[in-house]
Structure formats: structure tokens, C-alpha cells
Amino acid sequence: MLFFTQCFGAVLDLIHLRFQHYKAKRVFSAAGQLVCVVNPTHSLKYAPTRCAAAQASPEQGILPPCHHHETVHDPQLVPCTCPLFSCPWEGHLEVVVSHLRQTHRINILQGAEIVFLATDMHLPAPTDWIIMHSCLGHQFLLVLRKQEKYEGHPQFFATMMLIGTPTQANNFTYRLELNRNQRRLKWEATPRSILECVDSVISDGDCLVLNTSLAQLFSDNGSLAIGIAITTSKVHSSEAEM
Amino acid sequence: MLFFTQCFGAVLDLIHLRFQHYKAKRVFSAAGQLVCVVNPTHSLKYAPTRCAAAQASPEQGILPPCHHHETVHDPQLVPCTCPLFSCPWEGHLEVVVSHLRQTHRINILQGAEIVFLATDMHLPAPTDWIIMHSCLGHQFLLVLRKQEKYEGHPQFFATMMLIGTPTQANNFTYRLELNRNQRRLKWEATPRSILECVDSVISDGDCLVLNTSLAQLFSDNGSLAIGIAITTSKVHSSEAEM
């Protein structure tokens, strides 16, 4: 009888652990929003970044520059836009998502509103938290980066990029929201195209910027929850048509 | 006849100039919000700040420390809380507003929602833009400061302080909003009491923080418009009662 009790206990433990694991990956908050736990990745690149290298030595032609903008009229080969690694991959814009999923194992989430829960915020810079977000018929890349712009003073930078052209990106608005400890911080902007370099967006500071003390105020047990919402922006699309 | 025409023209010019001057001080935006133009004041103090000085040498007792918190149970004399100058004034909390108005000539505005239009954002740090805001039966002090936390990299810090005790401050929520160039940044928090030091709030970074490039994106012709709204926070007041 004791044996059966122990077996039953072990099975219960396994179910509990499995549930905990599942919960850690995708949980629904009280408000019914999908919460996605995103683990950090210590970044190996940065100095010099691919953008900087491309801008510094365009004549070498080893890698095409990241900053394509609207100059790419025809579907061209684009370099891997994953901000994590200096990846030699090149391909059409349409296959960037599958490359990021398969090669860089970046998760993709569905839904107009999700919560991005970045863990281990205490890890030293440079560190990235990255996820893809599929909604409104498009895929977006959310990048949270811990970086030391000023030595000894790490900051957090969060931005959203459309895996598409800048013209397509103009049709959307994304919102990042932090809410904790009687404080709320909201950032709304047009997503940048992934054809523009995420490094330059962050170095320009044209994104949600948090200093360490604010990040701590918004964190819970070393994890930072960022609410994400994407909407279509009719004003922007009419501007783009003009 | 020519003389009369010229006189009439001169009068019209004068009326126009007077109107322009009036418009520059207090104008109503299209949304019916009161817009207040706030000119910068180059700050003369900062190193060492009064807080730092008081903390470094409490035994000297020249000035009481800024950080009173709830230890002031009886109405005590408080030092001048104007963040601009090292002012030797001391007085009761109830007369701080009249001191700030009369001695430091800080304007006071009425209304639950106003727009704070800070001019000449290009001026070098340290610079302050300060105004008082009267609503919901209380007075608040809004401070926008340009400061170099990291040498050569000026940042903008905006916070709201209640001219009252920390317990009274817990009953309110303030919101600062920037909206321009397809970007929107909102900061919501409980105001800090003016008995706490504005310098420490800013050095902790527990306020709206803008780097120079973001401030430029939100600025129009060198002026930064910050929408301000104050509400009572029932959750906070119930927490304070607990």
C-alpha cells in the first residue's frame, strides 16, 4: 500500500512539475492576456556592430549595410537581422521569420496583446531578450537590450521592429507598457522596419529607455513584465499614401 | 488722413503685440487645455546640493536635512524647498507656496489638466523649468531639469511634488505625457512630497527621464510640451489608511 501511495505521490509531483514548466512558458494573466516568459541571451557581438562595420568599410562589400530603407525596391537578399549574432545568412524578407525560428530558436507568439516577461534582469550587459510576435497578419520582433552606453551605467532599451518594409511598418503603432509599484510608463510609436538596424535604433535612443533604478522599480523578483499591444494606425497609413 | 491711418496701424500693432504676449503666457490649445509657457532658469547650485551637504555634515546643523519624511509630526519650520537656489528661508509648510511665488517668482496655474511648455530646451545643463500647479485643493510643484548625470550626456528629468506631507501625497496620481512625431510617452506615479528632496528624486531616476535625442523628437522649435493631469488615487489613499 505504501508503494502505491509513493508512486501516486511521484506521479502527482511529475504532473505538478510539468504544469509549472508549461506555466513558465505560456501563462494567462488575470486579465486574460498571454504572458510569455523570455529568457536572456548574453550577446556575443556589439563591437563593432554589423552596421558600424558596414558603414565604416562599405568598399569591402563583405556584408551589405543594415540601413536599407526604401532603396530596396525589388525583393533583394537581406542579411540575417537577428540582433543576437553576427550571422552570415542572407535571404529574402519572406523567409526571415523561418530563419529566426529555426536557426536562432526565437519563439513566436500569436495575439494582439501579450505580456513579455523578461527574466534575470540582473545579468550583466550586454544581454538581449528577444521574441517574435505575430498579429494583424504580420510578424514583429521585440528586442529588450541591456547595454552600457555610459560605462558602469547599464540601461534597458526596448523596441519593436516589423519583419517587413518601412512602408509596411508605417501602417502600425505598437505600445509597450510597464505597470508596478504605483508607477506606469507607456511608450507608443510606429515600429521600425527590420531592414533598419536595431543597433542604430537603440544607439539613437528612439525607443523605450529605462535606467537601472526604474527597471528595478518595475521588476518583480528579477523579472520585468512588459505589456505589448499592436494596432493599425490609419493616420500613418494615410500619411504614407500621400 | 495719412496721420490717422498710421496711428490706427500703430494701435493695431500694439494690440497684436499685447495679444501675442498674452498668448505666450497663457493660451488655450485646440483641446481646451490651458497651455503655460515656462522659461528656463539656469541653476546656480547643485554641487554640493543642500541634501548632500545636510547628509554629509549633520552635526553642523546649519540647515536641516531635506529628507523629513513622516518624522515631522508637529508643524515644524521647513527650509525653502525651491530647487533653484540655496535659499536660507525657513517657514511652515502652509506658507511655502507664498514664499515660492513672492521670493522665487514661480507662477501658479489652476486646472486639473494643463500643458507645460518648456522653452529653450537647447540651453546647456544644469537648467530648470519650474511651475506650481493648483488643483484638487492642493498645490503641486512641477520640475523639469536638464542635468548631466554622465559627463557630456545631458538628460531631462521631470517630476511632480506635492506641497504637503508624504501621507497627503499618497492620495494623488500625476501623469506626464509627451506626444509628437508619431511617438507618445506617458509617465504616471504618485507625487513625492516636497519635504523629500527633488534632487534625490532626480538622482534616483524615479521620474520621467528623457535622453537628448528623445527630447528633440518630442520638441517643436526648441520647446517641449508636457501634458499634465492630476487625479485622486483611491487605491493609494486606502493603502495609506491601512
Side-chain angles (χ1 to χ4, degrees):
Chain A
M1 185 62 192
L2 185 66
F3 174 73
F4 284 109
T5 312
Q6 280 177 337
C7 277
F8 185 65
V11 167
L12 276 183
D13 282 350
L14 278 171
I15 291 170
H16 178 73
L17 282 171
R18 184 77 192 88
F19 177 72
Q20 287 291 91
H21 174 74
Y22 179 78
K23 209 171 65 171
K25 294 297 282 183
R26 280 181 168 216
V27 291
F28 282 88
S29 71
Q33 282 180 314
L34 184 66
V35 179
C36 178
V37 178
V38 185
N39 295 315
T41 313
H42 192 73
S43 190
L44 300 172
K45 63 162 193 162
Y46 284 134
T49 65
R50 183 148 11 136
C51 293
Q55 281 157 8
S57 56
E59 72 285 353
Q60 293 176 4
I62 298 164
L63 282 169
C66 289
H67 221 69
H68 284 273
H69 287 296
E70 295 298 311
T71 51
V72 182
H73 297 294
D74 303 321
Q76 299 276 330
L77 290 182
V78 294
C80 170
T81 48
C82 178
L84 284 175
F85 308 101
S86 294
C87 167
W89 181 87
E90 281 186 333
H92 288 283
L93 196 56
E94 295 75 25
V95 289
V96 167
V97 173
S98 60
H99 168 74
L100 292 175
R101 287 189 76 170
Q102 288 159 16
T103 310
H104 302 293
R105 296 184 181 176
I106 297 176
N107 282 328
I108 189 160
L109 283 173
Q110 305 279 336
E113 292 196 17
I114 60 168
V115 176
F116 176 100
L117 188 68
T119 64
D120 305 310
M121 297 290 287
H122 63 278
L123 287 179
T127 303
D128 279 310
W129 292 258
I130 298 177
I131 202 147
M132 277 189 290
H133 182 191
S134 173
C135 84
L136 302 170
H138 284 81
Q139 279 77 39
F140 299 84
L141 190 74
L142 180 79
V143 181
L144 171 68
R145 177 170 295 171
K146 187 175 185 177
Q147 194 175 335
E148 284 189 15
K149 263 184 147 178
Y150 316 115
E151 208 180 317
H153 300 281
Q155 287 177 294
F156 293 89
F157 303 87
T159 189
M160 201 141 212
M161 319 279 288
L162 175 79
I163 301 175
T165 64
T167 308
Q168 287 173 321
N170 274 337
N171 296 328
F172 298 97
T173 297
Y174 74 97
R175 190 183 72 218
L176 306 179
E177 184 173 340
L178 303 168
N179 189 359
R180 206 173 171 268
N181 268 327
Q182 301 176 2
R183 286 160 187 84
R184 190 192 299 255
L185 187 62
K186 274 189 199 178
W187 165 258
E188 270 180 44
T190 304
R192 304 284 277 267
S193 160
I194 202 152
L195 297 177
E196 300 179 66
C197 196
V198 71
D199 294 341
S200 65
V201 172
I202 286 172
S203 65
D204 290 348
D206 186 12
C207 54
L208 178 66
V209 185
L210 286 178
N211 55 35
T212 316
S213 56
L214 259 192
Q216 278 172 350
L217 280 168
F218 283 116
S219 294
D220 183 17
N221 271 327
S223 294
L224 185 75
I226 307 177
I228 304 166
I230 297 175
T231 51
T232 49
S233 53
K234 287 179 185 173
V235 179
H236 300 171
S237 59
S238 62
E239 279 177 5
E241 283 161 9
M242 280 168 72
Chain B
M1 185 65 194
L2 185 67
F3 174 74
F4 283 108
T5 311
Q6 280 176 340
C7 277
F8 185 67
V11 168
L12 276 182
D13 282 350
L14 278 171
I15 291 170
H16 178 73
L17 281 171
R18 184 78 194 86
F19 177 74
Q20 287 292 91
H21 175 75
Y22 180 79
K23 208 171 67 171
K25 295 297 282 184
R26 281 180 166 215
V27 290
F28 284 87
S29 69
Q33 281 179 316
L34 185 65
V35 179
C36 178
V37 179
V38 185
N39 295 316
T41 313
H42 193 72
S43 191
L44 300 170
K45 61 163 194 166
Y46 283 136
T49 65
R50 184 150 8 139
C51 295
Q55 281 156 10
S57 57
E59 71 285 354
Q60 293 177 5
I62 299 163
L63 280 169
C66 288
H67 219 69
H68 285 271
H69 286 297
E70 294 298 312
T71 52
V72 183
H73 297 295
D74 303 322
Q76 300 277 329
L77 291 182
V78 294
C80 171
T81 47
C82 178
L84 283 175
F85 308 100
S86 295
C87 167
W89 181 87
E90 281 186 333
H92 289 282
L93 194 57
E94 294 75 25
V95 287
V96 166
V97 172
S98 59
H99 168 74
L100 292 175
R101 286 188 78 171
Q102 287 160 16
T103 310
H104 301 293
R105 295 184 181 177
I106 297 175
N107 283 327
I108 190 160
L109 283 174
Q110 305 280 337
E113 293 195 17
I114 60 168
V115 176
F116 175 101
L117 188 67
T119 63
D120 304 310
M121 298 289 287
H122 64 278
L123 287 180
T127 303
D128 279 309
W129 292 258
I130 298 178
I131 203 147
M132 279 191 289
H133 181 190
S134 173
C135 85
L136 302 168
H138 284 80
Q139 279 76 40
F140 300 84
L141 189 74
L142 180 79
V143 181
L144 170 68
R145 178 170 293 172
K146 187 175 186 176
Q147 195 173 334
E148 283 189 15
K149 264 184 145 176
Y150 317 114
E151 210 182 315
H153 300 280
Q155 287 178 295
F156 294 89
F157 303 86
T159 188
M160 202 142 210
M161 320 281 287
L162 175 79
I163 301 175
T165 65
T167 309
Q168 287 174 321
N170 275 336
N171 297 328
F172 298 96
T173 298
Y174 74 96
R175 189 182 73 218
L176 305 179
E177 183 172 340
L178 303 167
N179 188 0
R180 206 173 170 269
N181 266 328
Q182 299 177 1
R183 286 158 187 86
R184 190 191 300 252
L185 187 63
K186 274 190 201 177
W187 165 258
E188 269 180 44
T190 303
R192 304 286 276 269
S193 160
I194 202 154
L195 297 176
E196 302 179 65
C197 196
V198 70
D199 294 341
S200 64
V201 172
I202 286 171
S203 65
D204 291 349
D206 185 12
C207 53
L208 178 66
V209 186
L210 286 178
N211 55 36
T212 316
S213 56
L214 259 192
Q216 278 174 347
L217 280 168
F218 283 116
S219 295
D220 183 17
N221 270 328
S223 296
L224 184 74
I226 307 177
I228 304 166
I230 297 175
T231 51
T232 50
S233 53
K234 286 179 186 173
V235 179
H236 301 172
S237 59
S238 62
E239 277 176 8
E241 284 161 11
M242 280 169 72

